[in-house]
Amino acid sequence: MHRLVAVAGIATTLLVGGCGGDPLPDNAANGAADTIAVNKTIQQRLPESIRDRGTIRFVTDPSYAPMESYAPDGRTVVGFDADLAAALGSVLGIKIEMVPADFSTALDDTATGEYDGVLSAMTDTVEREKKADFINYFSAGTSIVVRRGNPQGVTDLRDLCGQVVAVEQSTVQQDLLERSQQTCGAKPISIRTFKTNADALLQVRTGRAVAILNDYPPAAELTSDPATRTHYQLASTVQYEPGMYGLAIAKNNPDLRDALHGALDELIRTGVYNELLLRWGLTTGALQASSINGAGGVPAGE
């Protein structure tokens, strides 16, 4: 893990962001991010209900460093997504809460209004765009992570046939494994799904699964962080099926979507977005411009 991102919240909730043009907290920002000012024009795009409430609530699954994970205190959410939330809040002059919850139900819970959005390294897909609009902010593919030493000699997806593979449920990695079964013939992959990525990783670490599929940034983090690199390694440098992460907003909330999209564009324009990527070692996933529903689903507003 890296540095803390914002003000520790109550219980498992983290409040991030700034108000009235305040800079990001000292422990969460350096350089350009220190001087993020409220953009009044973009702020006015926020729904009146959000402005009256004074907060935006994003659901996240903090088991996916360096995108989002728990700090050593066990309750503060840290990572690129948390830093991005703080920066978006500073542009909009509003507090943003990163609320830990179940990844597999995050989109449904957002659709019902329990949360305002999902910011949790969620890949934008055509299927998911049926439930939410996605503000695209990052690009990544899937990598195979195995135990250090790679005792089963796994180098690609075909080597997973006949093996036990762990994966977080309701992820694009689960979908990829299920589609890969077509090449396995009489030796299918035994896919075991878990509520969190941390639970799935434990299966690999303890030898109960030969591999786990993760997006490349968390996979690379596992194999380089001193706390985990003795347990895990990449099976290869291949990234399967690159896609874009998206901040998911309910279909019936276009004003919030447009305000957040405008705030992201402002962060890209001012260089803060690239600075945050650099801080977390994620510059290879940078987007030159943001988009909405970039996976190819029905464009927002149509």
Side-chain angles (χ1 to χ4, degrees), residues 58-172:
F58 291 152
V59 61
T60 194
D61 172 18
S63 64
Y64 219 46
M67 306 310 293
E68 55 270 321
S69 62
Y70 283 119
D73 66 8
R75 65 176 186 174
T76 305
V77 179
V78 299
F80 173 76
D81 281 348
D83 272 8
L84 181 63
L88 291 170
S90 291
V91 172
L92 294 170
I94 197 166
K95 290 181 179 178
I96 294 182
E97 301 179 22
M98 295 284 278
V99 186
D102 191 342
F103 184 89
S104 65
T105 61
L107 285 179
D108 291 332
D109 292 339
T110 296
T112 62
E114 184 172 352
Y115 306 106
D116 298 308
V118 184
L119 185 54
S120 192
M122 180 173 280
T123 301
D124 179 5
T125 67
V126 172
E127 190 64 27
R128 286 172 173 167
E129 286 176 7
K130 296 176 182 178
K131 293 186 176 182
D133 286 332
F134 284 79
I135 305 165
N136 304 124
Y137 67 93
F138 189 76
S139 176
T142 291
S143 295
I144 302 172
V145 177
V146 296
R147 290 176 67 188
R148 176 62 63 181
N150 196 4
Q152 299 299 320
V154 174
T155 60
D156 59 30
L157 289 172
R158 290 170 296 182
D159 294 331
L160 300 179
C161 296
Q163 306 284 359
V164 176
V165 180
V167 69
E168 184 175 4
Q169 64 188 21
S170 301
T171 60
V172 294

Side-chain angles (χ1 to χ4, degrees), residues 84 88 135-137 260-268 273 290:
L84 181 63
L88 291 170
I135 305 165
N136 304 124
Y137 67 93
L260 288 164
H261 187 214
L264 178 58
D265 282 342
E266 181 74 358
L267 295 176
I268 294 173
Y273 166 78
S290 63

Side-chain angles (χ1 to χ4, degrees), residues 64 123 141-142 167 171-178 213-215:
Y64 219 46
T123 301
T142 291
V167 69
T171 60
V172 294
Q173 284 76 31
Q174 180 181 350
D175 294 340
L176 176 57
L177 285 172
E178 290 171 351
L213 267 58
N214 275 182
D215 289 327

